[in-house]
Amino acid sequence: MSRPSFHDLTTQQQRQFGNGVGPYWLPNNMRNLITKTASWFFKDASWRHHDFGYAVGGDRWDRARCDWKFFTAMLRDAVSQPVVWSLIAVPAALLISVVLFLAVRIGGQFGSFEYRDSYASLEDVIGGYRT
């Protein structure tokens, strides 16, 4: 089976997918605070894409690839801050990018990523994602 893509979801499913920035076991108010704080610079970087990749699952290389794509998208967003605020915003966004990358690399191995022998089907991902 080929790996499902986030782009296979409808626009409405894409908007509703995921639980914000942070693991499923983190209290909602904490996850909402982290999501709101990090989202001031997210444009290309999408925690929804990252959550989708974790729900599709796979092996440790699939997880590493998912985390790396998220990190590189965050870095692109970090360096594309408006010029007016760039002296403050770019270093802050770079720091947030590194912290979030380390958090997903360290924390994602403890129950957030769906390790499995084959990828989950799109229907299983939509129906079974933990919010």
Side-chain angles (χ1 to χ4, degrees):
M1 171 187 355
S2 65
R3 184 174 178 81
S5 169
F6 185 77
H7 301 292
D8 295 335
L9 299 173
T10 66
T11 303
Q12 182 176 355
Q13 289 170 327
Q14 289 177 359
R15 274 191 243 122
Q16 295 174 343
F17 199 87
N19 64 0
V21 179
Y24 70 91
W25 49 261
L26 197 67
N28 284 339
N29 59 345
M30 289 292 294
R31 203 170 40 248
N32 291 339
L33 176 65
I34 294 167
T35 302
K36 188 174 184 176
T37 302
S39 292
W40 65 267
F41 78 93
F42 281 158
K43 291 183 186 86
D44 186 39
S46 171
W47 50 266
R48 293 183 194 281
H49 282 81
H50 188 259
D51 285 359
F52 183 84
Y54 266 43
V56 169
D59 61 20
R60 64 188 178 121
W61 298 112
D62 291 308
R63 180 173 160 257
R65 199 169 22 260
C66 186
D67 292 346
W68 186 252
K69 285 181 179 181
F70 187 46
F71 183 54
T72 58
M74 286 189 292
L75 292 178
R76 280 192 304 273
D77 287 347
V79 298
S80 68
Q81 297 303 303
V83 174
V84 175
W85 298 105
S86 63
L87 288 176
I88 297 168
V90 170
L94 288 170
L95 178 63
I96 290 171
S97 298
V98 170
V99 168
L100 287 176
F101 176 70
L102 292 174
V104 299
R105 287 306 300 152
I106 294 167
Q109 63 189 326
F110 301 113
S112 294
F113 185 82
E114 296 292 336
Y115 288 101
R116 56 181 99 216
D117 292 332
S118 63
Y119 302 127
S121 69
L122 189 61
E123 293 77 23
D124 289 341
V125 170
I126 294 167
Y129 187 71
R130 295 179 279 208
T131 58

